[in-house]
Amino acid sequence: MPVYSVSRRRAIALLALTSILLITLDIQGNSVVRGLRGVFSTIFEPVQSSARVMTRPLENSWRGITNYGELEAENQRLQDQLDQQEGAFIAALATARDAQELLALNGIDNLADISSVTAQVIGGTPSNYSQTIEINQGSDRGLRVGMPVVNAAGLVGRITWVDNDRSLVLLANDSLYAIPVQVVNQPNIVPATTTTTTTSTTTTTSTTTTTSSTTTTLPVVPPVSAVVDPNGITTTTQSMTTTTVDLSTVDFGALAPTTTGVIVTIAPGTTAGGPTTTLNLDDLPIAETGIFRGRGIDNAPVVEFIDQNSRFGEVQVGALVFTSGGSQSLAPRGIVVGRVIKIVERTGTSGAVLEVRLTAKLTSLNFVRVLLYQPVATGAP
Amino acid sequence: MIDFVNKPVARLILVGLPALALQTTFFAEVKIFGVVLQIMLALSIAAGLAGGSENGALAGFVFGLMFDLVLTSPLGLSALVYGAAGWGAGYLHSRALENPKWLNALVVGLMSGLATFVLPIVANWIGVEGWLSSRLTKVMIVVALSNALFSFLVVPIARWSLAIRRSQRLAPPAEVFL
């Protein structure tokens, strides 16, 4: 039953050559291929939407059957984590506010200034190899290819394709994902029991749904000195000038995650005028730059091309990884990516490779936030 | 219009669109041991069994290309591998004078496992890293077994897609006379 009038072997060879040609064109970023994807998407979208509606009950039934026990255990685990993190959140607020003030003084963009669009995840990856999700917001809401996607935990990925009302997100663990990052060693935290002359903060967290209450004593950052020049130059001195953050002025309602039934009480510090956090510039964390790259679903993402500068010293396991920003980076500075879990030393000049555990759990995403950010090199946001 | 619908390429697209919709919605969510089942691959191989190596290659190319158009991986990668899988299934089919259902299931399973293994290798050749991993064995086994089960459904669909009449189906495949 011939389909082509040409000979069979020629037809098969033609199909193979066409495939190879398409691969070559796509890898080179040919605009015709991009256009082809756009046209196909327009045709396919109604079919896919109908299928989504029809198969949703089946999907829900399947999830109900297979994931019930797992969900129950996860819910319990998450509740425990939430209780623990209430205390850590208060400490983070002080640091975040401090950082924002410093960034503003130095004229550096920070995440709080960037508009964002919240989107729901409506589809997973249809392949066993590429890591993508589909979200329900598109170019109608200002989304563009390349914009970073985050959730409450940190970096999720970037927009890789946009339609009017939906988009495709390439997840950070996909092997095609890469972004410049900064690796910051954790500061040396002094245990809370250590007494300092300037700081003493006690946070009490109690949950109305239970009869017990938990008291968390926050770790205290060692005492320290810093002077910030209003002209944008930061200098280090040995003087006793201090940067002070007063928690009593922080608007917790605006910054806290939405929780129900939880009361957070901040006890006044022992120092007059409220609790005080001070930073010692000598103890500031080590910062190095490199390129973060996903390596597929099975392998931990890595940070490569670490700038091994003797001034900065060695990166340690547990170091935090943030996006570094820059005029050409697709993400602004300061998005949390993850933590270093392993350091693989390499011989020669190639430097170490850092394996990273992402803070965002990419296997169970429901809602994400798209930052309406585009690097300076490609146009204003 | 009817003439157009009766053309194999038109029918392949008509079958491919809802199959792809299922792949990107239902099968993207319902995973077996964390593995996404591959209905487009099953259809490509089934086309080879139903219509011989040439039709298998054509169907694999069309289904693979459609799949590529919704993925972020290079366009043409699945088309190449699925086309080869369809061609291979048709070639294996030509070696047997009869094609009982269990044999179809066996061929679909074997070719699915092979294609699942070859896809990341080809991807690696063209510079897409991270697809070859220890998880590949699990993916191969799950896709092979699931597609073997799918074969009872997809082989008849592939016959319709390629507009193969009963008389043609019962005749020995053309490859026998090569």
Side-chain angles (χ1 to χ4, degrees):
Chain A
M1 194 210 65
V3 174
Y4 290 118
S5 56
V6 292
S7 78
R8 302 167 49 166
R9 285 180 186 173
R10 277 185 191 173
I12 290 165
L14 187 67
L15 291 175
L17 286 173
T18 307
S19 300
I20 293 166
L21 178 69
L22 285 170
I23 291 170
T24 311
L25 290 174
D26 196 17
I27 286 174
Q28 289 180 342
N30 190 286
S31 59
V32 176
V33 172
R34 273 203 302 273
L36 199 61
R37 284 188 202 268
V39 170
F40 184 77
S41 165
T42 309
I43 298 166
F44 181 56
E45 205 274 333
V47 184
Q48 192 185 29
S49 299
S50 309
R52 183 166 287 126
V53 170
M54 286 189 282
T55 59
R56 184 68 71 191
L58 287 172
E59 285 171 25
N60 292 340
S61 306
W62 175 265
R63 281 208 202 98
I65 294 165
T66 57
N67 295 348
Y68 180 77
E70 202 176 302
L71 282 175
E72 206 169 31
E74 189 181 22
N75 191 30
Q76 190 69 42
R77 198 171 59 247
L78 289 174
Q79 188 61 50
D80 292 343
Q81 275 182 14
L82 186 66
D83 292 344
Q84 288 168 13
Q85 286 181 358
E86 286 296 335
F89 173 70
I90 307 299
L93 277 179
T95 313
R97 181 181 158 152
D98 199 14
Q100 284 179 4
E101 283 175 1
L102 287 170
L103 289 170
L105 279 171
N106 287 288
I108 300 170
D109 288 340
N110 81 66
L111 289 176
D113 297 335
I114 299 169
S115 305
S116 64
V117 172
T118 303
Q120 187 181 7
V121 177
I122 55 171
T125 177
S127 159
N128 284 305
Y129 306 107
S130 55
Q131 302 303 311
T132 56
I133 52 167
E134 195 175 342
I135 58 174
N136 68 344
Q137 301 292 351
S139 56
D140 289 349
R141 295 290 305 275
L143 272 61
R144 300 280 179 276
V145 170
M147 286 180 169
V149 180
V150 299
N151 70 358
L155 184 72
V156 168
R158 69 170 151 83
I159 302 286
T160 191
W161 175 86
V162 180
D163 199 2
N164 293 340
D165 56 357
R166 63 199 179 105
S167 307
L168 211 58
V169 178
L170 185 72
L171 296 179
N173 62 354
D174 190 281
S175 54
L176 297 175
Y177 189 91
I179 199 158
V181 291
Q182 197 169 31
V183 183
V184 182
N185 276 346
Q186 287 189 74
N188 295 323
I189 303 294
V190 178
T193 50
T194 303
T195 307
T196 68
T197 54
T198 55
T199 311
S200 174
T201 307
T202 303
T203 303
T204 304
T205 305
S206 62
T207 308
T208 55
T209 52
T210 62
T211 53
S212 63
S213 65
T214 311
T215 301
T216 309
T217 304
L218 295 176
V220 178
V221 179
V224 201
S225 309
V227 174
V228 177
D229 184 340
N231 297 323
I233 301 165
T234 304
T235 54
T236 308
T237 70
Q238 296 299 318
S239 73
M240 291 305 290
T241 310
T242 56
T243 302
T244 303
V245 178
D246 183 358
L247 283 180
S248 63
T249 60
V250 176
D251 180 5
F252 292 104
L255 293 168
T258 309
T259 50
T260 310
V262 177
I263 300 168
V264 178
T265 311
I266 310 295
T270 53
T271 311
T276 306
T277 303
T278 53
L279 290 172
N280 185 347
L281 287 189
D282 292 335
D283 291 344
L284 274 181
I286 296 161
E288 302 195 19
T289 54
I291 300 294
F292 171 89
R293 193 167 59 80
R295 294 196 303 160
I297 192 168
D298 277 349
N299 304 313
V302 291
V303 178
E304 294 178 312
F305 310 118
I306 289 291
D307 192 11
Q308 288 287 8
N309 189 330
S310 58
R311 180 174 149 257
F312 290 126
E314 295 291 329
V315 174
Q316 297 163 359
V317 169
L320 303 170
V321 181
F322 296 89
T323 54
S324 62
S327 62
Q328 298 202 337
S329 173
L330 289 172
R333 182 177 175 279
I335 299 176
V336 179
V337 176
R339 279 182 187 276
V340 174
I341 53 169
K342 189 178 175 186
I343 300 167
V344 182
E345 294 291 346
R346 293 189 295 186
T347 54
T349 56
S350 49
V353 172
L354 315 176
E355 289 192 6
V356 177
R357 189 184 69 222
L358 294 166
T359 48
K361 193 178 175 190
L362 302 184
T363 50
S364 57
L365 295 166
N366 291 317
F367 288 92
V368 293
R369 207 155 53 93
V370 183
L371 301 180
L372 302 182
Y373 172 87
Q374 285 192 299
V376 180
T378 59
Chain B
M1 181 68 183
I2 290 172
D3 285 345
F4 175 74
V5 172
N6 280 332
K7 288 183 187 301
V9 175
R11 284 194 178 194
L12 286 174
I13 293 169
L14 282 177
V15 167
L17 280 174
L20 185 62
L22 271 181
Q23 180 71 62
T24 55
T25 56
F26 183 70
F27 289 115
E29 300 295 330
V30 176
K31 297 175 183 175
I32 308 287
F33 301 115
V35 175
V36 181
L37 306 187
Q38 298 296 317
I39 190 77
M40 299 301 278
L41 177 60
L43 274 170
S44 305
I45 296 167
L49 288 175
S53 57
E54 185 189 1
N55 285 322
L58 174 68
F61 178 81
V62 171
F63 292 142
L65 192 63
M66 290 168 78
F67 198 24
D68 279 333
L69 285 167
V70 298
L71 294 176
T72 52
S73 51
L75 186 73
L77 180 60
S78 303
L80 183 66
V81 175
Y82 286 15
W87 176 85
Y91 182 78
L92 283 180
H93 169 64
S94 70
R95 301 283 138 183
L97 287 177
E98 287 185 34
N99 56 339
K101 287 179 180 174
W102 67 266
L103 187 60
N104 285 345
L106 187 68
V107 172
V108 171
L110 283 174
M111 290 308 297
S112 295
L114 188 62
T116 306
F117 177 69
V118 167
L119 190 70
I121 290 176
V122 178
N124 203 44
W125 280 342
I126 62 173
V128 180
E129 295 174 7
W131 288 16
L132 275 171
S133 67
S134 53
R135 181 172 169 264
L136 187 58
T137 311
K138 184 171 82 172
V139 175
M140 280 171 62
I141 292 169
V142 173
V143 171
L145 290 176
S146 60
N147 281 2
L149 290 174
F150 283 152
S151 69
F152 297 101
L153 179 71
V154 293
V155 171
I157 293 173
R159 277 195 203 109
W160 181 86
S161 306
L162 295 166
I164 293 169
R165 294 193 182 91
R166 185 177 168 78
S167 56
Q168 291 170 315
R169 175 157 68 92
L170 296 177
E175 284 86 343
V176 172
F177 303 108
L178 281 178

